[in-house]
Amino acid sequence: MPAPDAALDAPGAPAAAPPDPEPEAWARVVAAWGDEKVHQEYLARFRDLEGLAVAGGRYRAVLDARPDDAVARRFRDEVVKRATAAGLALVPRTRLPAVAPRALKVVAIGLLVALLVAALVLLWRDAALLLPGSH
């Protein structure tokens, strides 16, 4: 598989920022385009969404120039997978509030009282049928 054109290289970091080694890492990827290990090492340097966006942009630029590039497609998909996992890791997790034991007792007692009242009503009705002269 041929390496992407040098024209696909994105510009480096702004002049005011310290030099970013990302362009050199991407140059190693371009030089060894068919080597999966080099791609994996390149992606391993990105731990956050911002870095993964840079990597995704690199692979997307290759796909814009060569839509049939299987290597670029595979590693673009890998970037999407990693970005999804990183994004989900940022979602705050909340626990459902525990049911207060007091509230649970109140509900249980209420159900027992309702069952007791229903049983008494049924017994009263049946007892009335058994009494002489109620027929």
Side-chain angles (χ1 to χ4, degrees), residues 61-131:
V62 173
L63 285 170
D64 287 346
R66 293 190 324 236
D68 294 334
D69 191 314
V71 173
R73 188 176 323 109
R74 179 180 182 284
F75 285 100
R76 186 238 10 230
D77 292 347
E78 178 67 19
V79 168
V80 169
K81 182 175 80 171
R82 291 179 186 208
T84 301
L88 288 174
L90 295 174
V91 174
R93 288 162 179 75
T94 56
R95 293 180 185 241
L96 294 176
V99 175
R102 179 178 163 89
L104 187 59
K105 287 179 187 176
V106 169
V107 169
I109 290 172
L111 287 174
L112 287 174
V113 168
L115 287 172
L116 182 61
V117 168
L120 288 174
V121 167
L122 289 175
L123 283 173
W124 183 269
R125 190 185 69 188
D126 289 343
L129 291 175
L130 295 175
L131 292 175

